[in-house]
Amino acid sequence: CSLQAGLAVLLKAERLFHSSYHSQAVHIRPICRVKSVIRTACLFLVQDASCLAVSWELRQTLTVVFDFFSSGQGKKDWSLFKMFSRTLTDTCPLASQSKVYVDISPKNKEKELLEVSPPPTSVHEAIVQGEKKTYAVYDLLSPSLFNTSRSLNVQLKWKRPQDSSEMPIPTLHAQRYVAGYGLQTGEICTLIYNTHPYRAFPVILLETVPWYLRLYVHTLTIITKGKENKPS
C-alpha cells in the first residue's frame, strides 16, 4: 500500500526527522518453517525439528519520540494530526492486522484522569516490567471504525490538578552524555536506572556512537552500585 493507506500514511518525512528522536531498524533472521499435520480432522502446527525447510523473517521498526510536554507549555495532550500532520483514512487491504495502541494507564489514578477519543474498539491489559498496563486498541480492520467519520484522529487529553504537572518517571530509564574532547579525554557515559523497589530486569543496550568519536574496547568500564564489573 506504500503511503496510500494503512499506518504508513503517518510516515511524513518532515515530521519524523524534526522529532526529538527517531530510529529505523531492519531485522532479518532465518526461522524454521512451520508445517501442518492433519490428524483425525484436527489441525496441528508442528515445528520442523530438523530445520530442513527454512524461511526468512523480515521485521521493520520505526521509533519516534515527540516531546510535546516541553514545547506545549507543560501540556501533555497529543493527537495523531498534531504529531504527523495527517490522520488515518483507510486500512491497507493487504494487512492481516493493523492496530493502534494507546497507553491509558496513569501513574496515579487518584490524581490523573485520561480522556481518549474517539472511543476505542477494545481495551487490552498486560503486565509490562512488573506493572499492570491498560491500552486502548484501535483496530483499523474493524468495519465500525471508519463508519462514523472518514478519518481517524486519535486524541488523548489529561485532566489533572495544576500543582501536579511533572512527568512520571518510568521504571527503566536512561541518560547519556558525551564528556571531554578528542581521542585522549573524550568519553561516552550512559546511566541506566531501575526505579522498581525490588525487581531486576534484563537490559539490552544499543549504543549509537557519534561519527567523530573513536571507541577503544579496552577502556570500557561498567559500574553497578559503585562497584566495577569487569567486562568479558
Side-chain angles (χ1 to χ4, degrees):
C1 293
S2 187
L3 299 178
Q4 306 302 321
L7 296 176
V9 175
L10 302 177
L11 304 184
K12 193 175 181 180
E14 54 266 31
R15 299 294 295 178
L16 299 179
F17 296 147
H18 282 81
S19 59
S20 299
Y21 172 85
H22 69 273
S23 173
Q24 305 176 60
V26 177
H27 304 267
I28 302 176
R29 66 170 183 169
I31 59 175
C32 295
R33 190 174 303 172
V34 178
K35 62 182 181 180
S36 60
V37 178
I38 300 179
R39 296 176 182 173
T40 63
C42 295
L43 181 63
F44 298 90
L45 294 180
V46 181
Q47 192 77 19
D48 191 353
S50 59
C51 282
L52 298 178
V54 178
S55 299
W56 290 92
E57 178 188 76
L58 169 64
R59 183 164 56 96
Q60 303 178 78
T61 62
L62 172 64
T63 303
V64 185
V65 176
F66 295 96
D67 187 6
F68 289 118
F69 184 75
S70 299
S71 60
Q73 298 179 350
K75 296 182 180 180
K76 297 188 294 180
D77 300 345
W78 60 264
S79 66
L80 291 182
F81 185 79
K82 187 176 181 181
M83 288 187 291
F84 303 102
S85 297
R86 293 179 179 179
T87 58
L88 296 173
T89 56
D90 199 1
T91 182
C92 179
L94 299 179
S96 59
Q97 60 176 339
S98 184
K99 299 179 180 180
V100 177
Y101 290 83
V102 181
D103 189 353
I104 57 175
S105 50
K107 187 74 174 179
N108 192 337
K109 295 184 178 181
E110 288 78 18
K111 297 181 179 179
E112 189 174 43
L113 297 177
L114 302 177
E115 182 181 41
V116 60
S117 62
T121 55
S122 62
V123 177
H124 176 71
E125 293 185 351
I127 303 298
V128 180
Q129 295 179 357
E131 295 184 0
K132 184 177 180 181
K133 294 289 186 178
T134 305
Y135 298 94
V137 182
Y138 295 87
D139 189 357
L140 271 64
L141 298 181
S142 177
S144 61
L145 191 59
F146 294 100
N147 288 344
T148 56
S149 61
R150 295 183 178 180
S151 64
L152 174 63
N153 182 27
V154 180
Q155 304 181 54
L156 191 143
K157 296 182 179 180
W158 268 269
K159 295 181 179 180
R160 57 184 307 167
Q162 296 294 330
D163 57 349
S164 181
S165 60
E166 70 279 356
M167 290 288 289
I169 299 177
T171 303
L172 290 177
H173 62 280
Q175 298 178 0
R176 189 184 71 162
Y177 59 88
V178 179
Y181 60 91
L183 296 179
Q184 183 176 0
T185 61
E187 61 182 19
I188 296 179
C189 297
T190 302
L191 306 178
I192 303 176
Y193 299 92
N194 177 15
T195 60
H196 199 277
Y198 59 87
R199 185 174 178 181
F201 300 97
V203 174
I204 299 179
L205 177 64
L206 174 64
E207 283 281 5
T208 303
V209 182
W211 64 269
Y212 53 84
L213 288 180
R214 179 176 297 177
L215 298 186
Y216 297 92
V217 180
H218 73 279
T219 64
L220 174 64
T221 57
I222 302 176
I223 301 175
T224 305
K225 295 183 179 179
K227 297 182 180 180
E228 182 178 353
N229 295 334
K230 294 292 184 181
S232 59

